[in-house]
Amino acid sequence: MTNILNDTEAWGLLLGAITPWATALIQQPQWTKPVRALVGAVASAIVGIITVLARGDIAHAQTALTTVALAIVASKTFYDGLWQHAGAGALERATAPDRRSGW
């Protein structure tokens, strides 16, 4: 039986699923949808790359590409299906610069 925590792709999925919460800290409500999508995709890709590096699988091209792709897909899927409705938008509004400065 394989331990899921020893699987790089599984880590990519898990970390991709929670990436929208971290991304919500930098996303801004006034940004256009394309900009917001690009920020989310780049953040998710970075999480996937860091996961591959941390697991020592960067030399395995298939594992690396699969993990990055899974992190991006999981992030988008979880944001659209869960996080968007569970307060990610409120977190984005709460961390917006105009909100933090008291304007």
Side-chain angles (χ1 to χ4, degrees):
M1 185 166 157
T2 304
N3 184 349
I4 193 167
L5 297 178
N6 289 330
D7 185 43
T8 302
E9 290 95 344
W11 275 108
L13 276 171
L14 291 169
L15 295 173
I18 61 172
T19 298
W21 278 105
T23 306
L25 296 172
I26 58 172
Q27 292 277 24
Q28 299 300 306
Q30 71 273 12
W31 291 351
T32 64
K33 283 190 176 212
V35 170
R36 294 167 57 80
L38 181 62
V39 169
V42 169
S44 301
I46 290 169
V47 166
I49 291 166
I50 291 170
T51 301
V52 170
L53 289 170
R55 301 279 307 148
D57 284 332
I58 198 67
H60 302 100
Q62 181 177 352
T63 300
L65 292 173
T66 302
T67 301
V68 172
L70 286 170
I72 293 169
V73 170
S75 178
K76 177 65 174 153
T77 302
F78 273 78
Y79 179 79
D80 289 347
L82 178 64
W83 302 134
Q84 178 178 325
H85 308 291
L91 183 58
E92 290 172 9
R93 289 186 297 278
T95 59
D98 60 340
R99 178 73 182 235
R100 288 181 286 201
S101 65
W103 291 95

